[in-house]
Amino acid sequence: MRSDGTPPKLTRIHKEQRWLDEARELEVIHTPATPFRVALLEMLNRNVLNVIVGDGVKYMGLVTLPKLASEIALWEKKDEPVYKVLLEPLKRALMSAKPLTLDMGDKEVREVLEQAPPSDEYPIVQEDKAVGMLPLREVIAKRPCEATLGSIAKPVPVAKDLNEALKIMYEKATPVVGIEDRVLDARDLAKRIWEERTLEVGQLSLNDLPHEPYEVFKENVKLSEAVESLDIHRVDYVLVQLEGGLAYVPINVAAACSLR
């Protein structure tokens, strides 16, 4: 921090920090007491996958769209109105996620992003204080990665029914879960929860949400080619057909690839 308490400029310390060219100062940090409602609306309105949570400027972790939406859908009190659940504090859905730091080189940043929860606005921290974020969708758009999708894709988790799919989405914070020949998308789930917020949790109509996967790419297609045909600022992952089944490339993994 500067002597006046403001964040330091996000400038390179050494040459292997191309990632800092895309870094931005942090505009919003949510507190652990922020209601679910605020974060859910922000992630839907801004089409982002996560919000950053801190106590003041002290970084605490992330709340992601898949984790938050599935937690609401799985709420134990099924007779509770959704709008009341949306008043719960974000600390209930908080996930730990190793942040980026200003002294990291490109290689370290890639390693952190590859292991991160599905996310698209990743925190940058100095001395435990959140000072910025890396907009991962911008990184992908500006630095097309030539790796094939099959080489960086992860298997889509598979469930036998909707309830199991919600549990997997909650436990793994994955933005997509397979159910037979269909997929459940976390953003679709979040939208339905918001649309039906006046209903009780047990009355949410979720059975029609799983749908046939669309825009599925072959494994030998390059990420740069897939990005050309998708709006990377709108999609939350890239679906890939592997020999063993459906896979996906999360935004954070695609961004790590783009920093190679």
Side-chain angles (χ1 to χ4, degrees):
M1 303 293 278
R2 300 191 187 104
S3 58
D4 63 357
T6 57
K9 287 186 177 180
L10 302 171
T11 53
R12 295 191 192 195
I13 296 172
H14 49 83
K15 65 180 180 180
E16 295 298 324
Q17 290 192 300
R18 292 186 309 148
W19 70 275
L20 269 176
D21 294 343
E22 309 300 339
R24 295 180 185 170
E25 293 194 3
L26 194 60
E27 293 181 10
V28 179
I29 185 166
H30 293 277
T31 73
T34 298
F36 282 2
R37 182 182 193 275
V38 173
L40 187 73
L41 265 181
E42 179 177 342
M43 289 187 277
L44 288 176
N45 290 340
R46 291 182 52 231
N47 208 78
V48 294
L49 266 169
N50 67 276
V51 295
I52 298 170
V53 179
D55 183 3
V57 291
K58 185 178 180 181
Y59 171 70
M60 294 180 67
L62 303 180
V63 170
T64 70
L65 185 70
K67 185 89 170 179
L68 184 58
S70 55
E71 173 150 356
I72 296 167
L74 290 166
W75 201 254
E76 194 172 356
K77 295 180 181 177
K78 300 300 182 189
D79 59 349
E80 185 118 28
V82 173
Y83 67 82
K84 279 194 175 181
V85 179
L86 289 172
L87 299 177
E88 291 289 328
L90 284 186
K91 64 182 179 183
R92 295 193 62 139
L94 190 63
M95 296 182 67
S96 62
K98 181 179 179 179
L100 306 179
T101 58
L102 292 176
D103 59 348
M104 283 183 177
D106 294 332
K107 183 173 183 290
E108 291 173 284
V109 169
R110 289 197 302 269
E111 290 170 355
V112 171
L113 293 180
E114 284 168 356
Q115 300 302 317
S119 47
D120 56 4
E121 294 194 342
Y122 211 75
I124 303 169
V125 168
Q126 185 180 41
E127 297 173 357
D128 294 331
K129 297 179 177 66
V131 295
M133 70 91 172
L134 188 62
L136 303 186
R137 296 175 190 265
E138 292 290 338
V139 171
I140 298 165
K142 291 181 180 179
R143 303 175 184 269
C145 175
E146 296 303 310
T148 61
L149 295 174
S151 68
I152 58 174
K154 301 183 175 190
V156 170
V158 177
K160 63 179 183 295
D161 56 34
L162 178 62
N163 193 58
E164 186 183 16
L166 291 171
K167 289 178 180 177
I168 290 173
M169 186 174 285
Y170 176 77
E171 289 164 6
K172 299 189 176 185
T174 176
V176 60
V177 181
I179 309 173
E180 296 178 344
D181 60 345
R182 297 168 298 157
V183 292
L184 174 65
D185 177 86
R187 193 166 296 277
D188 289 345
L189 176 62
K191 288 176 182 175
R192 182 62 54 85
I193 286 169
W194 181 250
E195 289 165 359
E196 299 187 349
R197 61 191 180 278
T198 58
L199 301 179
E200 295 177 359
V201 173
Q203 296 175 326
L204 286 169
S205 56
L206 307 179
N207 289 329
D208 66 328
L209 286 183
H211 57 77
E212 288 187 14
Y214 43 80
E215 290 188 300
V216 182
F217 294 87
K218 294 180 179 178
E219 60 182 306
N220 61 351
V221 172
K222 293 178 181 178
L223 177 59
S224 58
E225 294 170 334
V227 170
E228 280 182 16
S229 65
L230 294 170
D231 182 351
I232 202 62
H233 294 284
R234 303 299 299 174
V235 299
D236 291 331
Y237 47 84
V238 180
L239 286 176
V240 188
Q241 186 61 56
L242 301 182
E243 201 171 305
L246 200 61
Y248 76 111
V249 180
I251 294 294
N252 49 292
V253 172
C257 181
S258 294
L259 289 170
R260 288 180 183 177

